[in-house]
Amino acid sequence: LRWAKMQKRVIPVGKVNRGDLVLFYFPSMKRVGHVGIVGSITDKVVWTVEGNTNDEGSREGYEVCRRRRTLNANMIFVNPH
C-alpha cells in the first residue's frame, strides 16, 4: 500500500480494470491483510482470483480460488501496470 501511494497507483472504483489489484484493509489489524487480482467488477461486486483462501472464504486457506466479493470501503484498488 505504501508503494502504491508513493507511485500514485491507488485508483478509484470507477477506474478499476481486469488485472488490477484489490487490497483488503482490516481495521482491526490497522493494515492490509489480503490481496487479490481483479477479474471483473460491477457497481456492487468484484470478482477476484486470490491465493491463501478456500471455498469457505478463509483468508488463511490453502487454495487459489475465484471469489465474488461485495464492494466495500475496506477495499483499496491498485493499478500495478
Side-chain angles (χ1 to χ4, degrees), residues 7-75:
Q7 298 297 317
K8 299 187 183 340
R9 301 279 184 156
V10 176
I11 53 176
V13 173
K15 303 258 182 187
V16 174
N17 291 301
R18 182 183 185 111
D20 289 337
L21 302 178
V22 56
L23 311 180
F24 298 95
Y25 182 82
F26 289 82
S28 61
M29 297 190 312
K30 298 181 182 171
R31 67 177 179 86
V32 171
H34 193 66
V35 177
I37 301 169
V38 174
S40 64
I41 190 167
T42 67
D43 59 340
K44 295 181 182 176
V45 172
V46 60
W47 284 92
T48 63
V49 175
E50 302 171 26
N52 281 358
T53 190
N54 58 33
D55 293 336
E56 293 76 41
S58 171
R59 67 180 184 85
E60 304 276 336
Y62 48 85
E63 298 175 343
V64 174
C65 296
R66 186 168 188 237
R67 309 273 298 142
R68 180 188 186 276
R69 303 272 190 176
T70 303
L71 285 173
N72 67 64
N74 292 324
M75 292 178 175

